[in-house]
Amino acid sequence: MTVYTQIVEYALDGDGVTVAFSYPGRVDDLENLHCAVALESGGVVERDYTVTGDDQGATFTFIAAPAAGERVYMWRDTPPEQRVDYAAGDFPSETHERTADRLVLMAQEVRDSGKRTLRLNRSGPVLNPINPVEFSGKLMGIGPDHQLIPSTQTLDKIDNAASVVDRALAEMGISRGADLDFGLITTAANTIEDWGSIE
């Protein structure tokens, strides 16, 4: 068998009616498939479901239909294990083909994970290594010389600043998810300034 599809993660929207969601990617074992539901209000939860299918794809069937505005995320996570032990002089082609397929699935998952990380442009300079102590509890930025720079504020202070911005926006009747133009941001900044410094 060959592996043509490169799907690792697949997502579909809930509608409050549909309970069955299809995962069209290849899979070595149904136990390697996982699913979670992203809520419209934010956050991700796990729901009760069953999985049926074969190595060509699967279907997640929920007990209760994910609501409209919720998004169902399905993904494959193949354990990096070598499960075949060949005996001397024994080389069954089907077994070997399945082992090769499994390696391709794992390689796809590693590639997918790599796309979700901070990466450098191939033609860009090499960044300085991260010092865990220097960056602990801080946000990371990239400076003008393409060097990694830790934020001057701790995450606690940044979280506090975010809540202050939320309060300022709320006073103007604007939710965090709203489209903000420069004028609204300036007004929010002035409101924050009226409250004094953020500590």
Side-chain angles (χ1 to χ4, degrees):
M1 190 160 301
T2 54
V3 180
Y4 288 113
T5 177
Q6 297 190 29
I7 294 172
V8 173
E9 180 182 294
Y10 196 66
L12 293 168
D13 292 325
D15 59 10
V17 177
T18 304
V19 294
F21 293 81
S22 295
Y23 175 83
R26 281 290 307 278
V27 60
D28 179 63
D29 189 327
L30 292 179
E31 290 183 2
N32 300 337
L33 288 177
H34 306 277
C35 183
V37 178
L39 304 176
E40 185 176 21
S41 59
V44 176
V45 296
E46 291 189 11
R47 299 263 174 80
D48 290 332
Y49 60 81
T50 58
V51 185
T52 55
D54 55 29
D55 60 0
Q56 297 300 310
T59 299
F60 289 85
T61 304
F62 289 87
I63 292 174
E70 295 182 343
R71 193 159 176 81
V72 177
Y73 286 91
M74 301 163 280
W75 69 94
R76 185 186 69 228
D77 186 12
T78 308
E81 302 167 344
Q82 207 293 70
R83 298 179 175 179
V84 177
D85 188 14
Y86 294 108
D90 182 28
F91 195 78
S93 60
E94 284 297 320
T95 301
H96 183 67
E97 178 104 26
R98 189 168 180 86
T99 300
D101 289 351
R102 183 179 170 82
L103 291 173
V104 170
L105 297 181
M106 285 189 280
Q108 289 176 345
E109 291 158 18
V110 169
R111 183 179 183 202
D112 182 70
S113 294
K115 291 179 179 179
R116 299 169 184 274
T117 59
L118 178 65
R119 298 186 297 166
L120 304 175
N121 187 318
R122 290 190 189 281
S123 62
V126 176
L127 301 183
N128 57 306
I130 295 176
N131 178 342
V133 175
E134 183 183 11
F135 284 86
S136 178
K138 297 184 177 179
L139 291 179
M140 178 176 63
I142 299 177
D145 296 328
H146 304 285
Q147 297 301 305
L148 298 177
I149 304 170
S151 62
T152 56
Q153 299 294 328
T154 63
L155 291 178
D156 289 340
K157 285 194 175 182
I158 292 169
D159 284 342
N160 190 31
S163 69
V164 171
V165 170
D166 284 345
R167 282 174 40 211
L169 292 172
E171 277 203 4
M172 296 183 298
I174 302 167
S175 67
R176 178 190 278 238
D179 291 333
L180 301 178
D181 61 24
F182 182 74
L184 289 175
I185 293 172
T186 303
T187 305
N190 291 338
T191 304
I192 293 169
E193 190 174 353
D194 292 341
W195 292 339
S197 63
I198 300 170
E199 290 298 335

